[in-house]
């Protein structure tokens, strides 16, 4: 009886080993595929950067103007719903941020013509005569935290990612107004496109 149990255990273990081996192979194939895709993307990025480097200053300016126009047009099509502002100052900060839609992202800048994410939010609140900290991590602790997306109001800060490295302004209708990343412009984006952590009411 004991021998039978041992043999059954061995069969189970052999089956588990085989399943684990198959999963490992799948994982290895996936990793190889991801590596290939990453190389393709890096190649395309390098080609795009090379092409960008060949443009004259005039051509770059024309391209930037087109991007700004596109971002503004896209912003006009966004349905923000009828969410009310968290306060008068939140409404003023949000209106200020709306006025710079289409401005380029620039790391370390807080306006008036280029912004990084927390640069945009701190600049917007400064236009409403409210001083908030400069970085997204510090802004995460600058007011009352709101953990439910449904409780967010226009002008609330919205903190993204576990390390709180990104921030935007809630725009209503499930949209956030933010300066996304290098190479992008200040624009609206669905709040669901990034890992939401919580809101902050100033």
């Amino acid at each position: 009886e004991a021998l039978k149990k041992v043999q059954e255990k061995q069969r189970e273990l052999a089956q588990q080993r085989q399943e684990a081996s198959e999963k490992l192979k799948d994982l290895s194939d996936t990793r190889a595929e991801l590596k290939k895709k990453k190389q393709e993307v890096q190649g395309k990025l390098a080609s795009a950067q090379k092409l960008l480097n060949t443009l004259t200053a005039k051509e770059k300016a024309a391209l930037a103007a087109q991007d700004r126009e596109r971002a503004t047009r896209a912003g006009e099509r966004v349905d923000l719903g009828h969410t009310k502002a968290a306060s008068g100052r939140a409404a003023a900060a949000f209106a200020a941020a709306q006025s710079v839609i289409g401005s380029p992202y620039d790391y370390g800048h807080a306006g008036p013509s280029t912004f990084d994410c927390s640069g945009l939010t701190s600049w917007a609140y400064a236009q409403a005569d409210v001083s908030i900290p400069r970085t997204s991590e510090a802004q995460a602790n600058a007011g009352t935290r709101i953990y439910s997306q449904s409780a967010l109001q226009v002008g609330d800060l919205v903190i993204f990612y576990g390390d709180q490295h990104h921030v935007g302004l809630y725009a209503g209708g499930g949209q956030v107004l933010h300066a996304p990343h290098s190479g992008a412009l200040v624009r609206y984006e669905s709040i669901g496109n990034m890992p939401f952590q919580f809101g902050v009411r100033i």
Side-chain angles (χ1 to χ4, degrees):
E1 190 63 31
L3 185 63
K4 202 173 173 184
K5 282 182 181 175
V6 168
Q7 284 171 335
E8 278 174 12
K9 258 298 176 230
Q10 282 178 327
R11 274 197 297 274
E12 274 178 39
L13 284 170
Q15 194 178 344
Q16 285 172 356
R17 190 181 290 118
Q18 192 179 347
E19 284 172 9
S21 180
E22 283 168 10
K23 282 179 183 171
L24 198 62
K25 187 180 180 301
D26 286 347
L27 195 62
S28 182
D29 290 347
T30 306
R31 193 179 286 129
E33 186 62 31
L34 283 172
K35 190 179 178 185
K36 191 180 165 190
K37 286 270 191 292
K38 186 181 176 184
Q39 284 168 344
E40 281 175 22
V41 169
Q42 285 173 333
K44 284 178 183 175
L45 276 173
S47 299
Q49 190 60 54
K50 207 173 175 183
L51 186 63
L52 200 59
N53 291 342
T54 64
L55 297 177
T56 64
K58 192 176 176 183
E59 287 169 331
K60 282 180 184 174
L63 206 57
Q66 280 178 357
D67 282 350
R68 278 195 291 278
E69 197 180 316
R70 223 178 356 254
T72 305
R73 278 202 307 270
E76 285 164 1
R77 289 194 299 269
V78 171
D79 179 13
L80 301 177
H82 303 288
T83 311
K84 68 185 181 89
S87 63
R89 59 192 184 181
F94 181 67
Q98 281 183 307
S99 74
V100 294
I101 286 172
S103 298
Y105 178 97
D106 197 357
Y107 182 75
H109 285 237
S113 55
T114 61
F115 303 86
D116 64 12
C117 67
S118 55
L120 174 66
T121 49
S122 59
W123 176 86
Y125 266 96
Q127 306 319 296
D129 294 321
V130 178
S131 176
I132 63 172
R134 173 64 181 85
T135 67
S136 57
E137 294 86 354
Q139 288 176 16
N141 298 306
T144 308
R145 289 191 177 185
I146 300 149
Y147 290 97
S148 166
Q149 285 187 31
S150 61
L152 291 171
Q153 292 182 304
V154 172
D156 284 338
L157 298 177
V158 188
I159 307 296
F160 296 99
Y161 299 96
D163 61 359
Q164 302 168 5
H165 75 261
H166 191 64
V167 63
L169 289 164
Y170 188 65
Q175 298 285 318
V176 66
L177 179 54
H178 68 149
H181 51 76
S182 185
L185 306 172
V186 173
R187 67 185 187 212
Y188 294 111
E189 189 161 346
S190 168
I191 200 168
N193 287 357
M194 297 164 287
F196 169 81
Q197 301 302 302
F198 50 83
V200 177
R201 186 154 297 156
I202 301 297

